[in-house]
Amino acid sequence: MDPIRIAVVGMGKIARDQHLPAIAGNRAFSLAATVSPRDSGIEGVPHLRSLDALLEEGPAIDAVALCTPPQVRYDLAAQALARGIHVFLEKPPGATLAEVHALSAQAERTGASLFASWHSRFAAGVAPARAWLAERRIDSVKVIWREDVRVWHPGQAWIWEPGGLGVFDPGINALSIITHILPRPFFLSEATLEIPENRAAPIAADLHFRDTRGAPIHMDLDWRQTGPQSWDVLVETDAGTLKLAHGGAVLTLPSETVRNEDHEYPGLYARFATLVTGGRSDVDVSPLTLVADAFLRGTRLTTEAFFD
Amino acid sequence: MDPIRIAVVGMGKIARDQHLPAIAGNRAFSLAATVSPRDSGIEGVPHLRSLDALLEEGPAIDAVALCTPPQVRYDLAAQALARGIHVFLEKPPGATLAEVHALSAQAERTGASLFASWHSRFAAGVAPARAWLAERRIDSVKVIWREDVRVWHPGQAWIWEPGGLGVFDPGINALSIITHILPRPFFLSEATLEIPENRAAPIAADLHFRDTRGAPIHMDLDWRQTGPQSWDVLVETDAGTLKLAHGGAVLTLPSETVRNEDHEYPGLYARFATLVTGGRSDVDVSPLTLVADAFLRGTRLTTEAFFD
């Protein structure tokens, strides 16, 4: 089969660090073009200033990976889907839930594949964690996601704007993991969001969820962590404690520790190829739904101003 | 067929003004009990202090109508569904989207009917508006929903708490209408929420949506309106202007004005009887999704303190 000709739109850090290598490492794809208004692209690959320009002038493409900030992603995705072009959405899949539902309906109509990607679900420990938890009674869950925003999101102004998610930008990775590995649905019961007085989005959040059997799930998100960083999930069960550390990369079970190589983005692109080949979509908005619920229901506290 | 034995839980204003008369007027139902912790119920009908007490001591029921504030509704609904009891949810169906999704999944498992009701969809002008718009090109939509909170929600503290919706409590009625009558999905592009400095929920909101063809939808919500109140929807189309006034009760088309008797709650109970009899559920969360999106994406402004 011919490789899927894909264009990467939005040539920021995540595109360069993750998408381009993952595409280069997967024979199901060939990188047809890169798109970004301000950037020069990469050696030997056609570079366009906009998706409009690409669709008008070519080269021909079968798929796009949208790595722009979420606030502008809907129009790009809708434009691509309208032409039957398959769409890979970086996380979060949109700035609102309703726009993602609309894209999903559009993909169904046009027959193009839409993939709302959650890279953390492809971290090495996640699939075995899910399998192990499927047969356990969940007693409680603790998520600690504390990182230094100055290290991981230097100068990314959009992340602090309305429609950016603030600390939920990394936090949604944790939510994408726990919505995937926990055997029962869960929902928010209480939340506190701390918003810097000079920003629109939270810098920290304390979230209490419970699952449909009443098991408490506590989530501690903080962007002010200096020194060691934490991206850990602890699940207490009737068969002992499961720990997923390093953002899902390292799984510790009562009996063993499982380490595998990182394959988040290679895993995403393998999945996207399967969807495109099979004519299917995969749009799970549950992590974004939980974030919207936190904004809807959470108590807001104003905290000290944040400067990059 | 025997009537559906229904209990009304949460005996506030909406239960007394709307639910009890609608139940009394529909032979498919018999009012089996009322439930509320502080209230004495009504003459001749068993009254219980809690749903627990009702389920333990009887009388036997087939269905419950949950008219409590949304923050406590999930547990009541889950408890009823677990026993195969059909559930009618006042609007909004929950304090979060995820809890409603969980209830929906639970209803599917247990075979009980779950109805997320939106009373404004049964306003007299709404069904003919929907039929008329189905074949029109929508050019723009304007929603003006301005009322006096002191008149309509006197002393309702829960409405201002996190999980209460503030001005979106009436505003979600408008959203339930336009999600029903407009032929295309739409989503938020920009929003400003005004929050009184002593409250957690907005007192006013200015919302810009657009539909999947780009038609702008502007919504003006305000709870500070004294004097004449406005609950109007104006839709500009290729065939002229449609106006739904008085919360959907009066429809004006280019050719005629349609007035019918109010039948919102009778319409809801007729629908609920159909669902129960047919073993089906009806859980459309799109109005609440749009509200969550406004909280997620909107810009917040602090405005002057509000006192009842």
Side-chain angles (χ1 to χ4, degrees):
Chain A
M1 215 179 87
D2 287 338
I4 300 159
R5 295 164 298 178
I6 191 167
V8 172
V9 181
M11 288 288 285
K13 183 170 164 53
I14 197 73
R16 292 178 176 273
D17 289 357
Q18 299 290 349
H19 288 257
L20 296 181
I23 290 165
N26 187 328
R27 289 185 191 184
F29 294 94
S30 70
L31 182 65
T34 58
V35 176
S36 114
R38 271 179 305 274
D39 196 284
S40 58
I42 59 169
E43 187 72 33
V45 177
H47 182 74
L48 288 295
R49 294 283 163 208
S50 68
L51 183 58
D52 275 333
L54 172 61
L55 295 175
E56 229 168 84
E57 303 162 23
I61 56 168
D62 306 302
V64 287
L66 301 183
C67 308
T68 64
Q71 293 96 325
V72 300
R73 216 172 278 158
Y74 172 84
D75 286 325
L76 299 169
Q79 199 181 355
L81 290 173
R83 300 192 178 215
I85 293 169
H86 311 294
V87 174
F88 177 127
L89 298 168
E90 240 306 341
K91 49 102 340 197
T96 64
L97 289 163
E99 74 191 55
V100 184
H101 294 313
L103 289 178
S104 196
Q106 190 189 358
E108 214 163 289
R109 274 198 315 278
T110 61
S113 293
L114 178 66
F115 181 31
S117 74
W118 300 106
H119 62 82
S120 293
R121 287 187 177 171
F122 288 83
V126 170
R130 176 181 160 102
W132 192 82
L133 289 171
E135 290 161 29
R136 300 299 184 291
R137 188 191 71 222
I138 309 300
D139 292 328
S140 69
V141 181
K142 173 103 184 136
V143 178
I144 304 152
W145 225 254
R146 300 176 70 94
E147 63 177 44
D148 185 342
V149 63
R150 290 187 177 87
V151 172
W152 301 100
H153 299 277
Q156 288 182 8
W158 61 268
I159 219 166
W160 293 104
E161 298 294 326
L165 296 181
V167 73
F168 286 94
D169 184 83
I172 206 169
N173 296 335
L175 289 169
S176 76
I177 291 175
I178 63 174
T179 49
H180 192 63
I181 66 174
L182 295 177
R184 292 175 189 285
F186 57 92
F187 49 86
L188 192 79
S189 42
E190 215 185 317
T192 308
L193 313 184
E194 290 184 59
I195 325 266
E197 60 182 20
N198 62 335
R199 303 286 181 165
I203 196 166
D206 187 75
L207 306 158
H208 293 271
F209 302 92
R210 58 195 170 100
D211 77 9
T212 53
R213 278 211 180 146
I217 299 167
H218 179 228
M219 191 160 170
D220 167 9
L221 296 182
D222 206 315
W223 245 354
R224 297 164 300 195
Q225 178 88 346
T226 53
Q229 310 278 292
S230 304
W231 299 284
D232 300 332
V233 177
L234 283 154
V235 186
E236 302 294 341
T237 78
D238 56 342
T241 304
L242 172 149
K243 182 173 182 182
L244 260 178
H246 300 287
V250 181
L251 172 65
T252 305
L253 297 173
S255 54
E256 56 175 333
T257 294
V258 183
R259 286 168 202 277
N260 283 306
E261 252 182 274
D262 169 62
H263 59 182
E264 292 188 18
Y265 281 79
L268 288 179
Y269 276 92
R271 171 85 180 138
F272 187 43
T274 304
L275 292 171
V276 169
T277 311
R280 286 180 301 128
S281 289
D282 176 355
V283 185
D284 176 10
V285 296
S286 63
L288 186 59
T289 302
L290 293 167
V291 174
D293 282 343
F295 278 72
L296 179 67
R297 168 137 206 191
T299 300
R300 280 147 199 277
L301 302 176
T302 301
T303 186
E304 59 180 301
F306 174 82
F307 301 98
D308 267 317
Chain B
M1 215 179 90
D2 286 337
I4 300 159
R5 295 164 299 177
I6 191 166
V8 172
V9 181
M11 289 287 285
K13 184 171 164 53
I14 196 75
R16 291 178 177 273
D17 290 357
Q18 299 290 348
H19 288 258
L20 296 181
I23 290 166
N26 188 326
R27 289 186 192 183
F29 293 95
S30 69
L31 182 65
T34 58
V35 175
S36 115
R38 272 178 304 276
D39 197 281
S40 58
I42 59 167
E43 187 71 33
V45 177
H47 182 75
L48 288 297
R49 294 283 161 208
S50 68
L51 182 58
D52 275 333
L54 172 61
L55 295 174
E56 229 167 83
E57 303 161 25
I61 56 168
D62 307 305
V64 288
L66 301 183
C67 307
T68 66
Q71 293 96 325
V72 300
R73 216 172 279 158
Y74 172 83
D75 286 324
L76 299 169
Q79 199 180 354
L81 291 174
R83 300 189 179 216
I85 294 169
H86 311 294
V87 174
F88 177 127
L89 298 168
E90 242 305 342
K91 48 103 342 197
T96 63
L97 290 163
E99 73 191 55
V100 184
H101 294 314
L103 289 179
S104 196
Q106 190 189 357
E108 215 164 289
R109 274 197 315 277
T110 63
S113 293
L114 179 66
F115 181 31
S117 74
W118 301 105
H119 63 81
S120 294
R121 287 186 177 171
F122 288 82
V126 171
R130 176 182 161 103
W132 192 82
L133 289 171
E135 290 161 30
R136 300 299 183 290
R137 187 192 71 219
I138 311 299
D139 292 329
S140 69
V141 181
K142 171 103 183 136
V143 178
I144 303 153
W145 224 253
R146 299 175 73 94
E147 64 177 43
D148 186 342
V149 63
R150 290 187 178 87
V151 171
W152 301 100
H153 299 276
Q156 290 182 7
W158 62 267
I159 220 166
W160 293 105
E161 299 293 325
L165 296 180
V167 74
F168 286 94
D169 183 83
I172 206 169
N173 296 336
L175 289 169
S176 76
I177 291 175
I178 63 174
T179 49
H180 193 63
I181 66 174
L182 295 177
R184 291 174 190 284
F186 58 92
F187 49 86
L188 192 80
S189 43
E190 214 183 319
T192 307
L193 313 184
E194 290 183 59
I195 326 266
E197 61 183 19
N198 63 337
R199 303 285 180 166
I203 196 166
D206 186 75
L207 307 158
H208 292 271
F209 302 92
R210 56 194 170 102
D211 78 8
T212 53
R213 276 211 180 146
I217 299 168
H218 179 228
M219 189 160 173
D220 168 8
L221 295 182
D222 206 315
W223 245 354
R224 298 165 301 196
Q225 179 88 345
T226 53
Q229 310 278 292
S230 305
W231 299 283
D232 300 331
V233 177
L234 284 154
V235 186
E236 302 294 341
T237 79
D238 55 343
T241 302
L242 173 149
K243 182 174 183 181
L244 259 178
H246 300 286
V250 181
L251 172 64
T252 305
L253 297 173
S255 53
E256 56 176 334
T257 292
V258 183
R259 285 168 204 278
N260 282 306
E261 253 183 274
D262 170 60
H263 59 181
E264 292 190 18
Y265 280 79
L268 287 179
Y269 275 91
R271 172 83 179 140
F272 187 43
T274 304
L275 292 171
V276 168
T277 311
R280 286 180 300 128
S281 289
D282 175 355
V283 185
D284 176 9
V285 296
S286 62
L288 186 58
T289 302
L290 293 168
V291 174
D293 282 344
F295 277 73
L296 179 68
R297 168 137 205 190
T299 300
R300 280 148 198 275
L301 302 176
T302 301
T303 185
E304 59 180 300
F306 173 82
F307 300 97
D308 265 320

